[in-house]
Structure formats: C-alpha cells, structure tokens
Amino acid sequence: MKRLLLFAMVCASISFVSAQKKFDKVSKVTSSEIRWWGYKVVKTEASSHSGTVKLKSGKFNFDKTVLVDGEFIIDMRSMMAGDVSEEDQIKLTNELKSTNFFEVKKFPIAKFHLTKIIPLANSEYNSTIYGDITIKGVRKTITFPANAYVTQFTVVIESAKFSLNRRDFKVFYQSSLKDYFIKDEMDFQFKVSTEKLDNDNRVPVKKKK
C-alpha cells in the first residue's frame, strides 16, 4: 500500500512539473524602422509631412518552431518630424506630441499585437498581417500587406505603406478649424527583424563564425 501511494505521489509530481514546463520560444526584435506620413486635405508632396517614431521593444512568440504572435511597444515620445527645417521641425514635433494630437505625456506608448500572418500568392507582397493596434488607449483591429519571412526563430517583416484613420484614435484638434485642413488618413510603414538587416539584400545578415 505504501509503495502504491509513493508511486502515485511520484506520478503526480512528474505531471505537475510537465504542466509547468514552458515549450515556447521568444525571439526579440533587434532591428526596426517606423515611418509616418501626414497630409493636408489636398494630398500633394508640397502639403505633406513625414517623420519617424521608434520601437521601444518587440518580440515574437513561438510554440516550438511555429510563430504564434508578436508584441510591439512603440515609444510615442520619440515621434519626430523629419522633412522640414530645424525650426519648423521642433514646432511640428511639439504639436504632434501635444494634446491636439497624440498626447504623449498621457499616452507615452502605443502597442501593436500581431495575431497572424496569412500567405498571399501572386502579389507584390507575400503576406497579409493581422493584428490589434492601440493608440491613446483606443484599440482597433487592422490588416495590411507585407513581405514576411520566418525561418526557425528568425523573423523579418517589411510592411507596405498602409493607412490609419487618426479620428479612430481621437487624434485631432479639439476645437479648431485647422483640423478640417488635415486629411484623416495617416500613412505608416515599418520594418522589423530579429537580426540586423542587410539593406541591400533585405535578408538577415549571416552571423560571423
């Protein structure tokens, strides 16, 4: 009876340890680039602005070798206008960070949760990315085309330029005619990789032996 009880306890312990064991793999983003474009109502090169914002952290989660999802934190405080003079750059950057737009003091980060990658055939881009983006506390499900490459635990994603409606995220002048002269759609494009990118070949750089 004692042997039977001991055997049962050992089996229970093994089961508990197995249940607690994690089999997933986390692959961190080590290279990233995020660009944005904003436009006046008349969408021309002369009436548009562009700039950058930095990724604070990013990772891809795997179940064994299968990509499950991705989690990305965007540092909204790093938002910068990059197509104007130095004086105008400071002015425009401060405006974007103010309560009129992204309110970075109250909402210092934005989040993107990549939920799935669906392969595309016969297209300029090989995949459609699905995910949930959160800006100023507002979460929306979005999709966009991208070239995505997943090899073992190495991930490279280069998105097409895609649009978000700023009004969906309460990004607008609260009471000003100025808002009517700004197009609702803002364009974004990003590139992330779990390894340093070779910009010429757009593939992960091979590690030196």
Side-chain angles (χ1 to χ4, degrees):
M1 185 66 181
K2 289 184 179 180
R3 289 182 179 180
L4 183 60
L5 181 60
L6 180 61
F7 178 76
M9 291 176 65
V10 170
C11 289
S13 299
I14 293 174
S15 298
F16 178 78
V17 171
S18 298
Q20 294 297 311
K21 188 175 181 180
K22 294 183 179 180
F23 296 98
D24 56 312
K25 163 79 175 179
V26 175
S27 190
K28 293 184 178 180
V29 171
T30 58
S31 178
S32 64
E33 180 183 329
I34 307 173
R35 296 195 59 81
W36 60 263
W37 290 263
Y39 309 96
K40 292 183 180 179
V41 173
V42 180
K43 189 175 180 180
T44 65
E45 184 177 351
S47 64
S48 66
H49 290 295
S50 64
T52 59
V53 63
K54 294 181 180 180
L55 189 71
K56 187 174 184 179
S57 65
K59 64 179 181 179
F60 294 95
N61 300 312
F62 289 82
D63 181 6
K64 296 181 179 177
T65 58
V66 178
L67 178 61
V68 177
D69 64 2
E71 300 173 47
F72 308 92
I73 305 297
I74 302 159
D75 183 2
M76 298 303 292
R77 293 169 297 187
S78 70
M79 178 171 282
M80 182 73 67
D83 63 335
V84 289
S85 65
E86 184 176 350
E87 182 179 348
D88 289 338
Q89 182 187 57
I90 295 172
K91 183 178 178 180
L92 179 56
T93 297
N94 289 338
E95 184 75 355
L96 289 169
K97 292 180 179 181
S98 74
T99 55
N100 288 325
F101 287 96
F102 290 98
E103 293 187 79
V104 299
K105 286 186 177 180
K106 186 176 180 180
F107 303 98
I109 62 171
K111 299 178 182 179
F112 178 61
H113 178 209
L114 186 155
T115 55
K116 58 183 175 181
I117 300 175
I118 303 298
L120 284 176
N122 304 318
S123 175
E124 181 182 356
Y125 295 91
N126 67 18
S127 303
T128 299
I129 306 294
Y130 290 74
D132 299 317
I133 190 163
T134 303
I135 300 174
K136 293 182 67 173
V138 179
R139 186 177 67 180
K140 296 287 182 181
T141 298
I142 62 173
T143 65
F144 51 85
N147 282 321
Y149 307 94
V150 182
T151 306
Q152 289 294 324
F153 302 116
T154 297
V155 182
V156 178
I157 297 178
E158 298 183 46
S159 80
K161 187 183 287 188
F162 62 94
S163 297
L164 296 178
N165 190 317
R166 62 189 178 88
R167 288 186 169 274
D168 287 343
F169 304 95
K170 302 178 182 179
V171 178
F172 51 80
Y173 283 99
Q174 298 299 315
S175 58
S176 175
L177 289 174
K178 291 181 180 179
D179 201 66
Y180 292 100
F181 296 97
I182 304 172
K183 201 167 182 68
D184 288 342
E185 288 74 26
M186 288 188 69
D187 288 342
F188 294 86
Q189 189 171 30
F190 71 87
K191 177 165 52 178
V192 295
S193 173
T194 57
E195 295 190 11
K196 185 177 179 180
L197 289 175
D198 181 332
N199 290 325
D200 294 326
N201 299 321
R202 297 189 178 186
V203 295
V205 175
K206 292 183 179 179
K207 293 180 180 179
K208 293 182 180 180
K209 295 182 178 180

PDB file of all heavy atoms in Angstrom, residues 41-65:
ATOM      1  N   VAL A  41      -5.558  68.367 -46.714  1.00  0.00           N
ATOM      2  CA  VAL A  41      -6.701  67.878 -47.485  1.00  0.00           C
ATOM      3  C   VAL A  41      -6.329  67.668 -48.942  1.00  0.00           C
ATOM      4  O   VAL A  41      -6.704  66.678 -49.567  1.00  0.00           O
ATOM      5  CB  VAL A  41      -7.900  68.843 -47.366  1.00  0.00           C
ATOM      6  CG1 VAL A  41      -9.016  68.420 -48.310  1.00  0.00           C
ATOM      7  CG2 VAL A  41      -8.413  68.864 -45.933  1.00  0.00           C
ATOM      8  N   VAL A  42      -5.568  68.595 -49.501  1.00  0.00           N
ATOM      9  CA  VAL A  42      -5.050  68.410 -50.852  1.00  0.00           C
ATOM     10  C   VAL A  42      -3.772  67.603 -50.726  1.00  0.00           C
ATOM     11  O   VAL A  42      -2.745  68.112 -50.269  1.00  0.00           O
ATOM     12  CB  VAL A  42      -4.757  69.763 -51.534  1.00  0.00           C
ATOM     13  CG1 VAL A  42      -4.225  69.542 -52.949  1.00  0.00           C
ATOM     14  CG2 VAL A  42      -6.023  70.610 -51.567  1.00  0.00           C
ATOM     15  N   LYS A  43      -3.858  66.323 -51.097  1.00  0.00           N
ATOM     16  CA  LYS A  43      -2.748  65.400 -50.863  1.00  0.00           C
ATOM     17  C   LYS A  43      -1.691  65.546 -51.948  1.00  0.00           C
ATOM     18  O   LYS A  43      -1.741  64.915 -52.989  1.00  0.00           O
ATOM     19  CB  LYS A  43      -3.261  63.963 -50.804  1.00  0.00           C
ATOM     20  CG  LYS A  43      -2.234  62.947 -50.345  1.00  0.00           C
ATOM     21  CD  LYS A  43      -2.876  61.579 -50.201  1.00  0.00           C
ATOM     22  CE  LYS A  43      -1.872  60.537 -49.740  1.00  0.00           C
ATOM     23  NZ  LYS A  43      -2.484  59.200 -49.600  1.00  0.00           N
ATOM     24  N   THR A  44      -0.737  66.434 -51.721  1.00  0.00           N
ATOM     25  CA  THR A  44       0.374  66.625 -52.641  1.00  0.00           C
ATOM     26  C   THR A  44       1.677  66.562 -51.856  1.00  0.00           C
ATOM     27  O   THR A  44       1.691  66.656 -50.629  1.00  0.00           O
ATOM     28  CB  THR A  44       0.288  67.992 -53.349  1.00  0.00           C
ATOM     29  OG1 THR A  44       0.432  69.026 -52.359  1.00  0.00           O
ATOM     30  CG2 THR A  44      -1.043  68.154 -54.069  1.00  0.00           C
ATOM     31  N   GLU A  45       2.744  66.420 -52.572  1.00  0.00           N
ATOM     32  CA  GLU A  45       4.053  66.335 -51.914  1.00  0.00           C
ATOM     33  C   GLU A  45       4.341  67.600 -51.114  1.00  0.00           C
ATOM     34  O   GLU A  45       4.904  67.557 -50.025  1.00  0.00           O
ATOM     35  CB  GLU A  45       5.136  66.115 -52.961  1.00  0.00           C
ATOM     36  CG  GLU A  45       6.521  65.915 -52.358  1.00  0.00           C
ATOM     37  CD  GLU A  45       7.577  65.627 -53.413  1.00  0.00           C
ATOM     38  OE1 GLU A  45       7.208  65.410 -54.584  1.00  0.00           O
ATOM     39  OE2 GLU A  45       8.770  65.619 -53.049  1.00  0.00           O
ATOM     40  N   ALA A  46       3.904  68.736 -51.672  1.00  0.00           N
ATOM     41  CA  ALA A  46       4.175  70.016 -51.003  1.00  0.00           C
ATOM     42  C   ALA A  46       3.371  70.190 -49.725  1.00  0.00           C
ATOM     43  O   ALA A  46       3.742  70.957 -48.848  1.00  0.00           O
ATOM     44  CB  ALA A  46       3.874  71.160 -51.966  1.00  0.00           C
ATOM     45  N   SER A  47       2.250  69.484 -49.611  1.00  0.00           N
ATOM     46  CA  SER A  47       1.384  69.670 -48.441  1.00  0.00           C
ATOM     47  C   SER A  47       1.415  68.473 -47.497  1.00  0.00           C
ATOM     48  O   SER A  47       0.514  68.263 -46.723  1.00  0.00           O
ATOM     49  CB  SER A  47      -0.058  69.919 -48.895  1.00  0.00           C
ATOM     50  OG  SER A  47      -0.560  68.786 -49.570  1.00  0.00           O
ATOM     51  N   SER A  48       2.446  67.683 -47.585  1.00  0.00           N
ATOM     52  CA  SER A  48       2.555  66.520 -46.719  1.00  0.00           C
ATOM     53  C   SER A  48       3.741  66.668 -45.765  1.00  0.00           C
ATOM     54  O   SER A  48       4.654  67.463 -46.007  1.00  0.00           O
ATOM     55  CB  SER A  48       2.732  65.238 -47.543  1.00  0.00           C
ATOM     56  OG  SER A  48       3.979  65.261 -48.216  1.00  0.00           O
ATOM     57  N   HIS A  49       3.704  65.913 -44.694  1.00  0.00           N
ATOM     58  CA  HIS A  49       4.826  65.853 -43.758  1.00  0.00           C
ATOM     59  C   HIS A  49       5.127  64.393 -43.456  1.00  0.00           C
ATOM     60  O   HIS A  49       4.234  63.540 -43.485  1.00  0.00           O
ATOM     61  CB  HIS A  49       4.492  66.586 -42.454  1.00  0.00           C
ATOM     62  CG  HIS A  49       4.410  68.070 -42.614  1.00  0.00           C
ATOM     63  ND1 HIS A  49       5.492  68.844 -42.954  1.00  0.00           N
ATOM     64  CD2 HIS A  49       3.359  68.930 -42.482  1.00  0.00           C
ATOM     65  CE1 HIS A  49       5.129  70.112 -43.019  1.00  0.00           C
ATOM     66  NE2 HIS A  49       3.837  70.187 -42.747  1.00  0.00           N
ATOM     67  N   SER A  50       6.378  64.116 -43.160  1.00  0.00           N
ATOM     68  CA  SER A  50       6.767  62.746 -42.822  1.00  0.00           C
ATOM     69  C   SER A  50       7.761  62.778 -41.675  1.00  0.00           C
ATOM     70  O   SER A  50       8.330  63.821 -41.346  1.00  0.00           O
ATOM     71  CB  SER A  50       7.381  62.031 -44.030  1.00  0.00           C
ATOM     72  OG  SER A  50       8.592  62.670 -44.414  1.00  0.00           O
ATOM     73  N   GLY A  51       7.946  61.608 -41.065  1.00  0.00           N
ATOM     74  CA  GLY A  51       8.889  61.526 -39.959  1.00  0.00           C
ATOM     75  C   GLY A  51       9.021  60.107 -39.466  1.00  0.00           C
ATOM     76  O   GLY A  51       8.653  59.151 -40.160  1.00  0.00           O
ATOM     77  N   THR A  52       9.531  59.984 -38.278  1.00  0.00           N
ATOM     78  CA  THR A  52       9.803  58.664 -37.708  1.00  0.00           C
ATOM     79  C   THR A  52       9.280  58.563 -36.282  1.00  0.00           C
ATOM     80  O   THR A  52       8.992  59.564 -35.634  1.00  0.00           O
ATOM     81  CB  THR A  52      11.316  58.372 -37.688  1.00  0.00           C
ATOM     82  OG1 THR A  52      11.970  59.383 -36.897  1.00  0.00           O
ATOM     83  CG2 THR A  52      11.894  58.378 -39.097  1.00  0.00           C
ATOM     84  N   VAL A  53       9.168  57.338 -35.824  1.00  0.00           N
ATOM     85  CA  VAL A  53       8.889  57.047 -34.422  1.00  0.00           C
ATOM     86  C   VAL A  53       9.617  55.739 -34.113  1.00  0.00           C
ATOM     87  O   VAL A  53       9.773  54.893 -35.004  1.00  0.00           O
ATOM     88  CB  VAL A  53       7.367  56.945 -34.153  1.00  0.00           C
ATOM     89  CG1 VAL A  53       6.744  55.790 -34.921  1.00  0.00           C
ATOM     90  CG2 VAL A  53       7.081  56.827 -32.664  1.00  0.00           C
ATOM     91  N   LYS A  54      10.087  55.581 -32.897  1.00  0.00           N
ATOM     92  CA  LYS A  54      10.940  54.437 -32.575  1.00  0.00           C
ATOM     93  C   LYS A  54      10.191  53.325 -31.850  1.00  0.00           C
ATOM     94  O   LYS A  54       9.257  53.579 -31.093  1.00  0.00           O
ATOM     95  CB  LYS A  54      12.127  54.887 -31.723  1.00  0.00           C
ATOM     96  CG  LYS A  54      13.088  55.801 -32.461  1.00  0.00           C
ATOM     97  CD  LYS A  54      14.263  56.197 -31.586  1.00  0.00           C
ATOM     98  CE  LYS A  54      15.219  57.114 -32.339  1.00  0.00           C
ATOM     99  NZ  LYS A  54      16.379  57.510 -31.487  1.00  0.00           N
ATOM    100  N   LEU A  55      10.633  52.117 -32.116  1.00  0.00           N
ATOM    101  CA  LEU A  55      10.124  50.952 -31.397  1.00  0.00           C
ATOM    102  C   LEU A  55      10.862  50.834 -30.068  1.00  0.00           C
ATOM    103  O   LEU A  55      12.094  50.821 -30.027  1.00  0.00           O
ATOM    104  CB  LEU A  55      10.345  49.689 -32.233  1.00  0.00           C
ATOM    105  CG  LEU A  55       9.679  48.410 -31.727  1.00  0.00           C
ATOM    106  CD1 LEU A  55       8.170  48.484 -31.907  1.00  0.00           C
ATOM    107  CD2 LEU A  55      10.235  47.192 -32.467  1.00  0.00           C
ATOM    108  N   LYS A  56      10.119  50.776 -28.983  1.00  0.00           N
ATOM    109  CA  LYS A  56      10.728  50.635 -27.662  1.00  0.00           C
ATOM    110  C   LYS A  56      11.147  49.201 -27.420  1.00  0.00           C
ATOM    111  O   LYS A  56      12.225  48.931 -26.878  1.00  0.00           O
ATOM    112  CB  LYS A  56       9.738  51.089 -26.581  1.00  0.00           C
ATOM    113  CG  LYS A  56      10.326  51.143 -25.182  1.00  0.00           C
ATOM    114  CD  LYS A  56       9.327  51.742 -24.200  1.00  0.00           C
ATOM    115  CE  LYS A  56       9.954  51.875 -22.816  1.00  0.00           C
ATOM    116  NZ  LYS A  56       9.006  52.477 -21.850  1.00  0.00           N
ATOM    117  N   SER A  57      10.279  48.265 -27.789  1.00  0.00           N
ATOM    118  CA  SER A  57      10.613  46.844 -27.659  1.00  0.00           C
ATOM    119  C   SER A  57       9.695  46.038 -28.566  1.00  0.00           C
ATOM    120  O   SER A  57       8.608  46.488 -28.938  1.00  0.00           O
ATOM    121  CB  SER A  57      10.462  46.363 -26.209  1.00  0.00           C
ATOM    122  OG  SER A  57       9.098  46.436 -25.801  1.00  0.00           O
ATOM    123  N   GLY A  58      10.154  44.850 -28.924  1.00  0.00           N
ATOM    124  CA  GLY A  58       9.341  43.976 -29.758  1.00  0.00           C
ATOM    125  C   GLY A  58       9.797  42.541 -29.631  1.00  0.00           C
ATOM    126  O   GLY A  58      10.987  42.275 -29.405  1.00  0.00           O
ATOM    127  N   LYS A  59       8.859  41.628 -29.756  1.00  0.00           N
ATOM    128  CA  LYS A  59       9.219  40.214 -29.669  1.00  0.00           C
ATOM    129  C   LYS A  59       8.202  39.368 -30.423  1.00  0.00           C
ATOM    130  O   LYS A  59       7.054  39.749 -30.634  1.00  0.00           O
ATOM    131  CB  LYS A  59       9.288  39.760 -28.211  1.00  0.00           C
ATOM    132  CG  LYS A  59       7.962  39.827 -27.463  1.00  0.00           C
ATOM    133  CD  LYS A  59       8.112  39.340 -26.019  1.00  0.00           C
ATOM    134  CE  LYS A  59       6.778  39.388 -25.271  1.00  0.00           C
ATOM    135  NZ  LYS A  59       6.906  38.896 -23.876  1.00  0.00           N
ATOM    136  N   PHE A  60       8.664  38.190 -30.859  1.00  0.00           N
ATOM    137  CA  PHE A  60       7.810  37.196 -31.496  1.00  0.00           C
ATOM    138  C   PHE A  60       7.782  35.956 -30.607  1.00  0.00           C
ATOM    139  O   PHE A  60       8.824  35.510 -30.111  1.00  0.00           O
ATOM    140  CB  PHE A  60       8.352  36.829 -32.876  1.00  0.00           C
ATOM    141  CG  PHE A  60       8.311  37.958 -33.859  1.00  0.00           C
ATOM    142  CD1 PHE A  60       9.417  38.768 -34.051  1.00  0.00           C
ATOM    143  CD2 PHE A  60       7.161  38.224 -34.585  1.00  0.00           C
ATOM    144  CE1 PHE A  60       9.387  39.819 -34.956  1.00  0.00           C
ATOM    145  CE2 PHE A  60       7.113  39.269 -35.489  1.00  0.00           C
ATOM    146  CZ  PHE A  60       8.227  40.073 -35.677  1.00  0.00           C
ATOM    147  N   ASN A  61       6.596  35.418 -30.392  1.00  0.00           N
ATOM    148  CA  ASN A  61       6.427  34.249 -29.539  1.00  0.00           C
ATOM    149  C   ASN A  61       6.209  33.000 -30.389  1.00  0.00           C
ATOM    150  O   ASN A  61       5.395  33.008 -31.322  1.00  0.00           O
ATOM    151  CB  ASN A  61       5.232  34.449 -28.598  1.00  0.00           C
ATOM    152  CG  ASN A  61       5.419  35.652 -27.692  1.00  0.00           C
ATOM    153  OD1 ASN A  61       6.470  35.823 -27.075  1.00  0.00           O
ATOM    154  ND2 ASN A  61       4.411  36.507 -27.607  1.00  0.00           N
ATOM    155  N   PHE A  62       6.915  31.937 -30.053  1.00  0.00           N
ATOM    156  CA  PHE A  62       6.843  30.683 -30.799  1.00  0.00           C
ATOM    157  C   PHE A  62       6.372  29.547 -29.911  1.00  0.00           C
ATOM    158  O   PHE A  62       6.691  29.501 -28.723  1.00  0.00           O
ATOM    159  CB  PHE A  62       8.222  30.311 -31.355  1.00  0.00           C
ATOM    160  CG  PHE A  62       8.689  31.178 -32.482  1.00  0.00           C
ATOM    161  CD1 PHE A  62       9.282  32.404 -32.236  1.00  0.00           C
ATOM    162  CD2 PHE A  62       8.544  30.761 -33.798  1.00  0.00           C
ATOM    163  CE1 PHE A  62       9.721  33.205 -33.277  1.00  0.00           C
ATOM    164  CE2 PHE A  62       8.973  31.552 -34.849  1.00  0.00           C
ATOM    165  CZ  PHE A  62       9.569  32.774 -34.581  1.00  0.00           C
ATOM    166  N   ASP A  63       5.617  28.642 -30.491  1.00  0.00           N
ATOM    167  CA  ASP A  63       5.324  27.352 -29.884  1.00  0.00           C
ATOM    168  C   ASP A  63       6.163  26.340 -30.642  1.00  0.00           C
ATOM    169  O   ASP A  63       5.852  25.990 -31.779  1.00  0.00           O
ATOM    170  CB  ASP A  63       3.839  27.015 -30.006  1.00  0.00           C
ATOM    171  CG  ASP A  63       3.475  25.677 -29.372  1.00  0.00           C
ATOM    172  OD1 ASP A  63       4.372  25.062 -28.741  1.00  0.00           O
ATOM    173  OD2 ASP A  63       2.330  25.236 -29.507  1.00  0.00           O
ATOM    174  N   LYS A  64       7.263  25.942 -30.023  1.00  0.00           N
ATOM    175  CA  LYS A  64       8.296  25.160 -30.708  1.00  0.00           C
ATOM    176  C   LYS A  64       8.824  25.990 -31.866  1.00  0.00           C
ATOM    177  O   LYS A  64       9.405  27.033 -31.644  1.00  0.00           O
ATOM    178  CB  LYS A  64       7.749  23.802 -31.128  1.00  0.00           C
ATOM    179  CG  LYS A  64       7.363  22.927 -29.931  1.00  0.00           C
ATOM    180  CD  LYS A  64       6.854  21.569 -30.347  1.00  0.00           C
ATOM    181  CE  LYS A  64       6.503  20.740 -29.118  1.00  0.00           C
ATOM    182  NZ  LYS A  64       5.942  19.418 -29.475  1.00  0.00           N
ATOM    183  N   THR A  65       8.597  25.603 -33.125  1.00  0.00           N
ATOM    184  CA  THR A  65       9.088  26.405 -34.244  1.00  0.00           C
ATOM    185  C   THR A  65       7.958  27.131 -34.974  1.00  0.00           C
ATOM    186  O   THR A  65       8.160  27.715 -36.040  1.00  0.00           O
ATOM    187  CB  THR A  65       9.844  25.520 -35.256  1.00  0.00           C
ATOM    188  OG1 THR A  65       8.972  24.482 -35.709  1.00  0.00           O
ATOM    189  CG2 THR A  65      11.080  24.917 -34.619  1.00  0.00           C
TER     190      THR A  65
END
